[in-house]
Every structure is written in structure tokens, then in C-alpha cells.
Amino acid sequence: MGKTRIGVALCAAMLVFGAGARADVTASTSTPGIAVEILPDVGVETDIGSRLGALMGIETASLSGLSGDRVRQIGAPFTGGATGRDRRVMSASRLDSMPRPRGNAQWRCMTEAIYFEARGESVEGQYAVAEVILNRVDSRNYPDSVCGVVNQGTGRRYACQFTYTCDGIPEIVTDRRAWNRAGNIARIMLDGAPRDLTAGATHYHADYVSPRWARVYPRTARYGTHIFYRQQY
């Protein structure tokens, strides 16, 4: 109890590396009573140390790309995902029954991205796309506004970050219910709802394509046809 999420992750990594020194074993960090055997073999200890060092180097590089606010958020004591501000509505019918959403330009950019990128996905999948956008806003590698992130690269055919902004197809809203659902999700996320569905993902792609970066970045989640990844530099 009381450990930060970063601390828990590193401890879990140490357990996995320790087990991996003896055999190819996958251990669940949620399973109580895991025993770790200390091996006298110096070669094994050196191997564990080098692998753990490499892991910590990757995590340090990842954290260096985040803003101070996002680092503090990640390092806050783990409370099981409850923050007191979790007003997410995970039911499609409840989202559809909410009043018609409204907002500023940043809200509209978020709503458009959710609608054109993920309106056919589950509610969780739409929240996940919103998480990626906000994670990019928090990262030093991307623009610091929702509209800046969504429209990055727009104007260059198929060279943008979100395909719908540069595929040459006009953005026409044909499903008003799906638009209002996306708008309510955008409003909830912009108001500070937790981002705990994608483990800090900054990228995603549909399962029918295979971009080069997907072979480098660690995969963090999957919702429907979208597979999510976290950038490692």
C-alpha cells in the first residue's frame, strides 16, 4: 500500500526479470505470495542487472518526454483508478440520453477526432482515442493543444497524424447520435477524467495495417480494431 504506480511497475519488472533468469515463466503481478529465489550465480546476477538497467533506461527516456504535470500525475499514489473526478459514463445508452454537448474549438477538435476515427468502436474504444490525444498534448514531442495534436501534418496527403484530416474525404457528420456521443466523451475527458485505459498510449492503428513504429513501441492495449502503443523516446 502507498507505493506509487511507477514503483509498482519497477517492482513488477524486477520480479519478472528474476523469474526469467531461471526459466521462461510469465508471472502475474496480481497473484499474491510470489516467492523470489536469490541465485548465487554471479553471471545470472550480472545478466539481471544489465537487463534491468536497460529497462530503466527506456522508462527514463519515456518519462523525459512528458510534461511536469503528467509526471506528477503518474507518480501519484495508486488508488485503484479512483480519483474523485471520475465522471466517465461507460454506457452508450446513458451517453446518448445526455443533453446535447457543446464546447469551444478544442472540444470540437476532440469530438471530430473521436467521431471520424472511432465512432464505430465501443465506448471504451472512443475514450481510448481521447486518451491518446490528451497524452500527446502532455508530451513534449507534440503540440500543446488538442487542435494542434489532431491537425498535426494536415494538408499533406496521408502524412498527417490522424488519417481523416488528410485522406481527401470531406468531413461530413451523417450520424447525429454518434456525434453527440463523441461530444459527450470529449467533454468528460477535457474536464479531467482519468486516463487509465491505455497505459499512457500515444499511438494507435487499426488491426488491418502494420506501421513501422508498431515494431518498436510497446503495445499497451486493444479496443475493437484499434491497437494502442506508447512512444519510447
Side-chain angles (χ1 to χ4, degrees):
M1 298 294 292
K3 292 183 179 179
T4 67
R5 276 173 279 189
I6 293 177
V8 172
L10 288 176
C11 288
M14 292 175 70
L15 286 174
V16 173
F17 275 124
R22 291 296 300 271
D24 294 328
V25 176
T26 301
S28 169
T29 57
S30 63
T31 303
I34 295 177
V36 179
E37 181 181 359
I38 299 176
L39 302 176
D41 191 328
V42 175
V44 171
E45 292 177 354
T46 301
D47 183 55
I48 293 173
S50 63
R51 292 161 66 188
L52 181 58
L55 173 65
M56 294 183 68
I58 292 173
E59 291 302 316
T60 299
S62 298
L63 290 173
S64 67
L66 301 177
S67 68
D69 288 341
R70 183 61 176 149
V71 171
R72 284 189 289 273
Q73 181 185 33
I74 294 172
F78 181 63
T79 58
T83 65
R85 297 189 303 162
D86 190 353
R87 293 187 289 272
R88 285 176 298 183
V89 176
M90 307 307 287
S91 163
S93 60
R94 285 186 59 199
L95 284 165
D96 294 344
S97 68
M98 293 171 65
R100 188 173 70 176
R102 299 179 183 274
N104 58 16
Q106 302 303 309
W107 167 82
R108 186 172 183 84
C109 287
M110 175 75 83
T111 302
E112 286 183 352
I114 296 171
Y115 177 86
F116 289 110
E117 291 278 306
R119 68 181 179 274
E121 299 293 329
S122 66
V123 170
E124 289 85 356
Q126 293 183 51
Y127 275 109
V129 167
E131 283 192 19
V132 167
I133 294 169
L134 292 175
N135 288 340
R136 286 193 173 203
V137 171
D138 283 348
S139 172
R140 295 189 182 99
N141 296 327
Y142 299 95
D144 59 2
S145 70
V146 170
C147 288
V149 165
V150 170
N151 294 311
Q152 187 177 15
T154 299
R156 294 177 294 161
R157 185 86 172 207
Y158 298 118
C160 55
Q161 298 295 306
F162 292 83
T163 305
Y164 81 92
T165 69
C166 67
D167 60 6
I169 302 173
E171 284 76 59
I172 300 174
V173 176
T174 58
D175 187 337
R176 183 55 58 178
R177 183 173 66 174
W179 172 265
N180 289 341
R181 184 183 301 172
N184 281 318
I185 291 173
R187 179 76 278 150
I188 290 168
M189 292 303 294
L190 287 169
D191 285 345
R195 299 177 226 164
D196 55 13
L197 297 176
T198 65
T202 53
H203 290 64
Y204 65 89
H205 67 78
D207 59 9
Y208 50 82
V209 298
S210 183
R212 285 179 297 178
W213 50 260
R215 296 191 290 269
V216 179
Y217 300 155
R219 175 174 166 175
T220 63
R222 175 169 184 158
Y223 294 95
T225 62
H226 286 154
I227 306 172
F228 294 81
Y229 302 80
R230 186 177 64 250
Q231 191 172 30
Q232 287 287 41
Y233 63 87

